[in-house]
Amino acid sequence: AQKVTQAQTEISVVEKEDVTLDCVYETRDTTYYLFWYKQPPSGELVFLIRRNSFDEQNEISGRYSWNFQKSTSSFNFTITASQVVDSAVYFCAVDSNYQLIWGAGTKLIIKP
Amino acid sequence: NAGVMQNPRHLVRRRGQEARLRCSPVKGHSHVYWYRQLPEEGLKFMVYLQKENIIDESGMPKERFSAEFPKEGPSILRIQQVVRGDSAAYFCASSPPPGTSYNEQFFGPGTRLTVL
């Protein structure tokens, strides 16, 4: 069965610290896509990244970076030098055909 | 270039009433998906529709819930005789017709349903 596990329900750090959000997935598919979304307190979904299962290169976008390890079925997300505006719930998801299978989310609290 | 529109953004209903949630996809998109997010949880797939056709409704509760995507007009998610457990955020996504590249889903802002 397809499944996404985000074991960290809540993380709290002080501003400027680095923080890593874990994501472990299960899928039967040989080709699949992985996603991260941000959900700020306002409730909308903000797309952060989509990664093809064939592309195992790590990706960096400003203060955000993603570590995809196919061997351990993990797709972890790191925020460097966190800021208060990064406070949100972050979701990891895997594409199962046309359905997105979502993790339960990690609530990230950045304290000033 | 309007994205996915959902209305209303907030909906309050009393138990037993009907809730109608609307989703207007991105212009040119022919596929619509509905997801439900219960409080403190991730999104769960409900239904996948093409215009005038339900492709997959495996995530829809068996009773009281229905969805449609008519030839003209928005997609509608209808919940009859709402109960408190229906209180959730309902997100709609749309995608273009399947092609050779990945069929990206674009999400709307969601409708927050509160059942009193």
Side-chain angles (χ1 to χ4, degrees), chain B residues 72-99:
Chain B
E72 302 289 338
S75 174
I76 307 283
L77 178 67
R78 183 180 175 211
I79 312 172
Q80 295 178 287
Q81 299 173 337
V82 296
V83 300
R84 289 225 173 99
D86 297 331
S87 295
Y90 292 83
F91 287 93
C92 168
S94 74
S95 67

Side-chain angles (χ1 to χ4, degrees), chain A residues 4-11 19-23 35-41 45-48 63-64 66 77-79 82-93 102-110, chain B residues 37 41-43:
Chain A
V4 174
T5 300
Q6 293 181 256
Q8 304 147 310
T9 52
E10 184 174 305
I11 300 175
V19 59
T20 295
L21 283 60
D22 298 333
C23 173
F35 300 80
W36 276 94
Y37 283 84
K38 174 182 180 179
Q39 188 174 44
L45 292 167
V46 178
F47 169 81
L48 295 178
R63 295 184 298 106
Y64 295 171
W66 290 269
F77 172 35
T78 297
I79 302 175
S82 59
Q83 300 175 1
V84 172
V85 292
D86 295 328
S87 296
V89 179
Y90 290 84
F91 291 97
C92 179
W102 298 69
T106 296
K107 184 175 184 180
L108 180 60
I109 300 168
I110 310 296
Chain B
Q37 184 183 25
E41 293 187 15
L43 280 70

Side-chain angles (χ1 to χ4, degrees), chain A residues 33 35 37 39 43 45 47 50 91 95 98-100 102-104, chain B residues 33 35 37 41-43 45 48 56 58 91 102 104-105 107 112:
Chain A
Y33 290 84
F35 300 80
Y37 283 84
Q39 188 174 44
L45 292 167
F47 169 81
R50 180 183 82 225
F91 291 97
D95 183 316
Y98 42 75
Q99 296 182 23
L100 289 184
W102 298 69
Chain B
Y33 314 76
Y35 292 83
Q37 184 183 25
E41 293 187 15
L43 280 70
F45 168 80
Y48 169 34
D56 181 355
S58 59
F91 287 93
Y102 179 73
E104 181 108 35
Q105 293 182 29
F107 281 86
R112 272 128 196 101

Side-chain angles (χ1 to χ4, degrees), chain A residues 19-84:
Chain A
V19 59
T20 295
L21 283 60
D22 298 333
C23 173
V24 174
Y25 62 91
E26 295 173 31
T27 180
R28 301 183 280 263
D29 300 327
T30 51
T31 302
Y32 50 91
Y33 290 84
L34 297 162
F35 300 80
W36 276 94
Y37 283 84
K38 174 182 180 179
Q39 188 174 44
S42 52
E44 76 271 21
L45 292 167
V46 178
F47 169 81
L48 295 178
I49 191 170
R50 180 183 82 225
R51 173 49 51 91
N52 183 317
S53 57
F54 288 122
D55 181 2
E56 289 195 66
Q57 285 208 346
N58 290 334
E59 176 141 351
I60 298 174
S61 176
R63 295 184 298 106
Y64 295 171
S65 62
W66 290 269
N67 184 332
F68 177 30
Q69 298 278 347
K70 204 167 180 179
S71 58
T72 56
S73 297
S74 66
F75 186 41
N76 296 339
F77 172 35
T78 297
I79 302 175
T80 304
S82 59
Q83 300 175 1
V84 172

Side-chain angles (χ1 to χ4, degrees), chain B:
Chain B
N1 230 359
V4 177
M5 313 263 288
Q6 289 189 249
N7 69 81
R9 296 290 306 275
H10 299 273
L11 182 61
V12 178
R13 285 287 176 265
R14 296 191 180 282
R15 279 178 297 171
Q17 291 184 319
E18 179 179 288
R20 279 183 178 243
L21 287 61
R22 292 175 190 76
C23 170
S24 297
V26 173
K27 190 175 179 182
H29 284 190
S30 55
H31 295 248
V32 163
Y33 314 76
W34 285 93
Y35 292 83
R36 177 165 68 173
Q37 184 183 25
L38 294 171
E40 311 294 320
E41 293 187 15
L43 280 70
K44 296 282 195 303
F45 168 80
M46 297 180 78
V47 63
Y48 169 34
L49 306 123
Q50 212 175 12
K51 280 193 183 284
E52 300 184 284
N53 190 24
I54 297 175
I55 308 290
D56 181 355
E57 56 181 349
S58 59
M60 289 278 269
K62 295 284 182 276
E63 297 174 349
R64 303 186 297 109
F65 285 72
S66 62
E68 63 174 4
F69 188 17
K71 190 176 178 183
E72 302 289 338
S75 174
I76 307 283
L77 178 67
R78 183 180 175 211
I79 312 172
Q80 295 178 287
Q81 299 173 337
V82 296
V83 300
R84 289 225 173 99
D86 297 331
S87 295
Y90 292 83
F91 287 93
C92 168
S94 74
S95 67
T100 53
S101 59
Y102 179 73
N103 218 27
E104 181 108 35
Q105 293 182 29
F106 294 81
F107 281 86
T111 293
R112 272 128 196 101
L113 172 66
T114 301
V115 179
L116 301 178

